[in-house]
Amino acid sequence: MLSRGAASGRALRGAARAGGQPPVRGLRASPRARSAMPSWVIDRYGRNDVLRFTRDMVFPIIHFPNEVIIKVHAASLNPIDLSMRSGYGATALNMKRDPLKLKSADTEFPLTLGRDVSGVVMECGLSVSYFKPGDEVWAAIPPWKQGTLSEFVVASGNEVSFKPKCLSHTEAASLPYVGLTAWSAVNQVGGLNQSNCSGKRVLILGASGGVGTFAVQLVKAWGAHVTAVCSHDASTLMKKLGADDVIDYKSGNLEEQLKTLPLFDFILDNVGGSTEKWALDLLKKWSGATYVTLVTPFLINMDKLGVADGMLQTGVTVGSKTVKHLFRGVHYRWAFFVPSGPSLDEIAELVDSGKIQPVIDQVFSFSEVPKAFLKLEGGHARGKTVIDNTPHSWDKRNSQQHFQFVDCGAFISQIF
């Protein structure tokens, strides 16, 4: 949660970007009362056939004074949406939704998936002083809340940030979830930042996905030497994003290829599995070098063992691995997505300065959400799968298939 000082700071930054004075606002009402909206929902967990379009999803309302309602102009899909569709993490997420178990079973249904949103603020809670209706914003909604594959979504003001000026809503929607996940792993857990990253050797495993493409640009913007691991057909993309070395994991034994390179100061693992068994041997010993993985058994343990036993098993696992590798001279860490408006503020500054650029694999209309899920499920995406949620797209039938690398440089030159 933001302190009053932090909230005031964001208010000033927002006002500066908008060119006006810090606003002070109360609750804003919709022009007309609404009780339902278009949405893609699931009523049970399963494969792609559980997705259902409805025009009767309950319209979101403001329950807490720090919340805002956003009209969704664009959303995007992430691997967690595929996992949640199948029931992954349901035990932990339901505990977060209803920690006191005051509701009946299956209260998550109908459930709307989608974590990313770029859109326009429609209503503000009483304590929201840094946004107003009409502001263009972006956010990543936590997985225990109703998602963004709807006409409207409600979010905490602390999860929301002003959209980068140089991006359209479709472009902006590709970044929040992967950006915050990479930011959590690299900055909050890994300890890297603009002041200490210059010259450090960084290895990114699984570099061509959403988190990987963002992470490559982030650490490169901070001055790191970046080695990206991906398939050969993504090597050109990696070079465009700033990677210094690109390793094709299909061209031979990956471990042996990486052992021929100098040791690394930081490793971000988006792949997991067997890579963890040998990747830490690539770090510089006794130098503060850190391995961070985004592939953890936390939610799986809770699904299989229940909340108490799952948390205990998770604690034992991460604790034992941390201690084992500490005695070997390297740091072992887990990282997770963390919703954060202030972090999105910093990411927006990097985007508007041209240091971070969206990488979009394909754009689908809102009517084609099941098709978008199948595309993501097929794997090997180069960037993000985005959903255009403007009203004209609800009945559109043809998706736009393209690779899009958005360069904000031209926009910046127009401003200055």
Side-chain angles (χ1 to χ4, degrees), residues 57-80:
M57 184 62 176
V58 176
F59 193 86
I61 61 174
I62 291 176
H63 290 282
F64 300 99
N66 69 330
E67 290 182 331
V68 298
I69 294 177
I70 302 170
K71 181 174 177 59
V72 181
H73 283 222
S76 70
L77 299 183
N78 297 280
I80 191 175

Side-chain angles (χ1 to χ4, degrees), residues 17 21 45 51 126 152 178 215 271 321 328 375 402 409:
R17 295 180 68 175
Q21 296 298 317
Y45 296 120
L51 289 166
L126 289 170
F152 296 90
V178 296
V271 178
K321 289 185 176 182
R328 296 179 179 177
K375 172 66 170 64
H402 65 290

Side-chain angles (χ1 to χ4, degrees), residues 264-341:
F264 296 94
D265 299 288
F266 180 85
I267 297 175
L268 175 60
D269 188 355
N270 298 295
V271 178
S274 61
T275 59
E276 187 176 304
K277 297 178 181 178
W278 49 262
L280 285 98
D281 293 331
L282 304 173
L283 290 171
K284 298 175 182 177
K285 304 296 189 292
W286 307 109
S287 67
T290 302
Y291 166 93
V292 177
T293 180
L294 290 166
V295 185
T296 76
F298 176 59
L299 294 180
I300 294 176
N301 283 345
M302 295 183 71
D303 286 338
K304 289 182 177 180
L305 304 174
V307 174
D309 289 344
M311 292 183 71
L312 177 61
Q313 179 62 52
T314 298
V316 170
T317 300
V318 68
S320 61
K321 289 185 176 182
T322 299
V323 172
K324 178 181 74 173
H325 291 295
L326 188 61
F327 278 109
R328 296 179 179 177
V330 296
H331 297 287
Y332 174 93
R333 298 287 186 269
W334 289 357
F336 305 90
F337 159 75
V338 178
S340 171

Side-chain angles (χ1 to χ4, degrees), residues 141-152:
I141 309 300
W144 55 86
K145 295 184 178 181
Q146 289 287 14
T148 61
L149 297 179
S150 289
E151 186 181 6
F152 296 90

Side-chain angles (χ1 to χ4, degrees), residues 33-176:
R34 293 186 57 174
S35 60
M37 64 177 177
S39 181
W40 283 95
V41 300
I42 61 173
D43 302 302
R44 67 185 190 282
Y45 296 120
R47 300 186 65 82
N48 214 49
D49 58 356
V50 302
L51 289 166
R52 174 175 66 87
F53 177 75
T54 178
R55 292 186 178 273
D56 299 316
M57 184 62 176
V58 176
F59 193 86
I61 61 174
I62 291 176
H63 290 282
F64 300 99
N66 69 330
E67 290 182 331
V68 298
I69 294 177
I70 302 170
K71 181 174 177 59
V72 181
H73 283 222
S76 70
L77 299 183
N78 297 280
I80 191 175
D81 295 305
L82 293 176
S83 300
M84 288 180 63
R85 186 197 65 188
S86 302
Y88 168 78
T91 300
L93 296 176
N94 283 336
M95 181 188 71
K96 180 67 176 179
R97 293 176 184 125
D98 186 20
L100 299 180
K101 297 187 180 297
L102 300 177
K103 302 176 183 178
S104 59
D106 297 333
T107 52
E108 71 266 36
F109 300 120
L111 179 64
T112 303
L113 301 175
R115 310 271 55 93
D116 294 298
V117 58
S118 182
V120 175
V121 175
M122 300 300 292
E123 298 182 15
C124 298
L126 289 170
S127 69
V128 176
S129 61
Y130 36 89
F131 299 113
K132 68 180 187 299
D135 285 341
E136 293 190 327
V137 297
W138 65 344
I141 309 300
W144 55 86
K145 295 184 178 181
Q146 289 287 14
T148 61
L149 297 179
S150 289
E151 186 181 6
F152 296 90
V153 68
V154 65
S156 165
N158 299 334
E159 298 161 356
V160 180
S161 173
F162 290 98
K163 178 182 75 66
K165 293 179 179 180
C166 73
L167 300 183
S168 68
H169 286 294
T170 301
E171 294 159 354
S174 68
L175 284 175

Side-chain angles (χ1 to χ4, degrees), residues 172-188:
S174 68
L175 284 175
Y177 187 85
V178 296
L180 288 173
T181 302
W183 190 272
S184 169
V186 173
N187 176 261
Q188 297 174 347

